[in-house]
Amino acid sequence: MFRKLAIGLLITLTAVIAQAEEYKAGVNYDVIAMPVPTADKTKVEVVEAFGYLCPHCARFEPLLHSWTKKLPMDVDFARVPVVFSRSWEPLARAYYASEILNDLDKTHQATFTALHKERRRFSSFDDLADYYADLGVDKDKFVKMNQSFAVNMRMNQGASKLKGYGIQSVPTLIVNGKYRITADKAGGHAGMLKVAEYLIEQERNAQ
């Protein structure tokens, strides 16, 4: 009986060790040379760098949304929209405006759907504002917020964070300002979430 128990424990320990060694820095994720400060030191922070014009982000969003709903209370999740070119800026501003107005539940997935499934093209800011109004967003508030100091500040803060994270592609996940996870290194979108879970646990144990 003792021998069987010992063998069972050894097998379990071996499995745990194998799992722990499954993800390695430089192979499955990258270590950020100079960590970016997080908003709350008492929690583990996960940030998604994304762009509405990115088809990979559109495919990742449903999977990510389900994952974030199951995160424990000691994990904070946030998004930062990237601006790779001038055409990305209006949608990044729209994200922040919707976030401040507490309308992301109406606009976030809908924006991906409009761009990548319905093949809509917003040729002007008015087109985007009208579309958001159709989703139930107060158009006057949205237009005013879009050019507000609050949105300008978040745009600047977001750009600073993205530079610190070393973002070169999207979607990318950042764990606790220390680790950068991409689909290429993690083995796909589902792999990104598994690596994130591993790093969350690592950071939780380090606190």
Side-chain angles (χ1 to χ4, degrees):
M1 177 69 73
F2 178 77
R3 184 181 179 186
K4 289 182 178 179
L5 179 61
I7 292 174
L9 289 173
L10 180 61
I11 292 173
T12 301
L13 180 60
T14 301
V16 171
I17 292 173
Q19 184 177 11
E21 292 179 347
E22 184 178 354
Y23 304 120
K24 297 180 179 180
V27 178
N28 307 108
Y29 61 91
D30 291 309
V31 177
I32 297 172
M34 295 187 66
V36 178
T38 59
D40 187 345
K41 299 295 183 183
T42 67
K43 295 186 177 183
V44 179
E45 181 183 85
V46 178
V47 174
E48 182 205 16
F50 81 99
Y52 281 126
L53 291 173
C54 166
H56 306 292
C57 297
R59 288 193 290 270
F60 186 40
E61 177 56 31
L63 187 65
L64 179 65
H65 178 75
S66 297
W67 184 76
T68 59
K69 292 298 182 183
K70 301 172 185 177
L71 289 175
M73 295 296 292
D74 65 338
V75 179
D76 274 342
F77 177 75
R79 292 183 175 89
V80 178
V82 303
V83 179
F84 284 143
S85 67
R86 292 181 64 181
S87 62
W88 292 56
E89 182 176 342
L91 291 164
R93 299 186 71 89
Y95 174 84
Y96 285 128
S98 297
E99 183 178 50
I100 295 170
L101 293 172
N102 294 314
D103 282 330
L104 284 178
D105 59 328
K106 301 174 185 176
T107 64
H108 188 61
Q109 178 58 58
T111 303
F112 278 125
T113 299
L115 290 168
H116 299 283
K117 290 186 177 180
E118 299 172 0
R119 300 298 179 183
R120 288 178 180 248
R121 289 296 175 262
F122 302 109
S123 58
S124 68
F125 172 72
D126 286 339
D127 287 347
L128 184 61
D130 287 339
Y131 176 67
Y132 277 22
D134 290 341
L135 298 175
V137 175
D138 186 308
K139 183 177 178 179
D140 290 337
K141 289 183 178 179
F142 174 74
V143 171
K144 184 177 180 180
M145 183 60 69
N146 196 272
Q147 297 299 325
S148 69
F149 173 79
V151 168
N152 290 337
M153 183 174 67
R154 293 198 185 192
M155 288 287 289
N156 292 333
Q157 290 174 340
S160 178
K161 284 185 177 181
L162 292 169
K163 183 177 180 180
Y165 295 151
I167 299 298
Q168 296 182 341
S169 63
V170 287
T172 296
L173 295 179
I174 304 297
V175 177
N176 237 19
K178 299 178 180 179
Y179 310 106
R180 184 174 57 247
I181 309 168
T182 61
D184 286 344
K185 287 199 170 182
H189 292 156
M192 289 175 67
L193 300 179
K194 290 179 180 178
V195 175
E197 289 170 358
Y198 165 76
L199 293 172
I200 287 170
E201 188 64 26
Q202 182 173 291
E203 288 297 291
R204 181 185 287 126
N205 292 336
Q207 288 182 348

